[in-house]
Amino acid sequence: MTTSASVPTEPEGAISRDGSTVTDGLVAANQRYAAAFADPGMDARPVLHVAVVACMDARLDLHAALGLELGDCHTIRNAGGVVTDDVIRSLTISQRALGTRSVALIHHTGCGLESLTEEFRHDLEMEVGQRPAWAVEAFRDVEQDVRQSMQRVRTSPFLLHTDDVRGFVFDVTTGLLREIDPA
């Protein structure tokens, strides 16, 4: 089991010799971006009326992989792309207030949640003295977890549109999506 006590908190080279951090670099990049930024005049409603729920894994460039442009979709990301209460909250707002009708769920091969267990919460409790209120939502079978996520969306009483809910596994070595049969 690995908790924060055994994992470096900063990546190699996170603080440069001039004292700047990775976040300082992000802020500097934003300043360059903003200098050339032109308000696209968009509304918060996604053009394609779709919400994509996906893993936060840094290997997933969702917009590129799905051929999406700025403003096309709502993107909701978390560890594993798992449909949690907070994802249902975001989807409910996306549908009821911002007009989305379709939901695409995207998990991926080689997900870190496949190597964790709920024991992670116990280890955190031992380390910090408080048990997290949230579940890890670890899984062993990515296809089954996609099915479970589809079921959670389809059965939520808060969502208006549950007829176009599809689930996929993104292969991190080929870049291809594989659709998962909900049955």
Side-chain angles (χ1 to χ4, degrees):
M1 178 73 242
T2 303
T3 61
S4 60
S6 59
V7 175
T9 57
E10 295 290 338
E12 196 69 35
I15 298 179
S16 69
R17 291 190 176 129
D18 68 0
S20 64
T21 66
V22 171
T23 304
D24 293 331
L26 298 176
V27 171
N30 173 256
Q31 291 169 347
R32 291 187 299 275
Y33 171 79
F37 183 77
D39 180 358
M42 292 180 186
D43 171 296
R45 296 173 181 271
V47 172
L48 299 178
H49 306 286
V50 63
V52 177
V53 178
C55 185
M56 66 186 191
D57 192 294
R59 297 171 289 179
L60 277 67
D61 182 351
L62 289 174
H63 277 72
L66 302 174
L68 297 168
E69 299 292 331
L70 181 67
D72 281 349
C73 73
H74 283 158
T75 306
I76 304 161
R77 295 181 80 158
N78 67 19
V82 177
V83 175
T84 61
D85 286 346
D86 195 58
V87 168
I88 294 294
R89 170 190 163 271
S90 293
L91 288 172
T92 301
I93 293 166
S94 178
Q95 287 189 358
R96 290 179 176 267
L98 297 166
T100 60
R101 300 186 60 84
S102 300
V103 178
L105 305 169
I106 302 177
H107 287 34
H108 65 92
T109 58
C111 185
L113 281 187
E114 291 175 294
S115 64
L116 290 178
T117 67
E118 291 298 321
E119 187 69 19
F120 183 79
R121 291 174 70 226
H122 174 74
D123 293 346
L124 283 172
E125 181 179 15
M126 294 297 100
E127 180 182 329
V128 303
Q130 180 178 344
R131 179 166 233 161
W134 39 263
V136 174
E137 297 279 354
F139 52 86
R140 295 279 181 246
D141 181 338
V142 67
E143 291 184 14
Q144 183 54 36
D145 202 65
V146 170
R147 286 185 194 96
Q148 177 176 296
S149 290
M150 284 190 281
Q151 186 64 18
R152 286 179 177 175
V153 171
R154 287 185 173 135
T155 60
S156 173
F158 306 110
L159 298 175
L160 295 172
H161 308 289
T162 59
D163 55 324
D164 188 11
V165 178
R166 294 171 64 186
F168 304 87
V169 174
F170 176 86
D171 187 312
V172 298
T173 60
T174 67
L176 290 172
L177 288 176
R178 180 171 37 89
E179 188 158 7
I180 303 302
D181 184 352

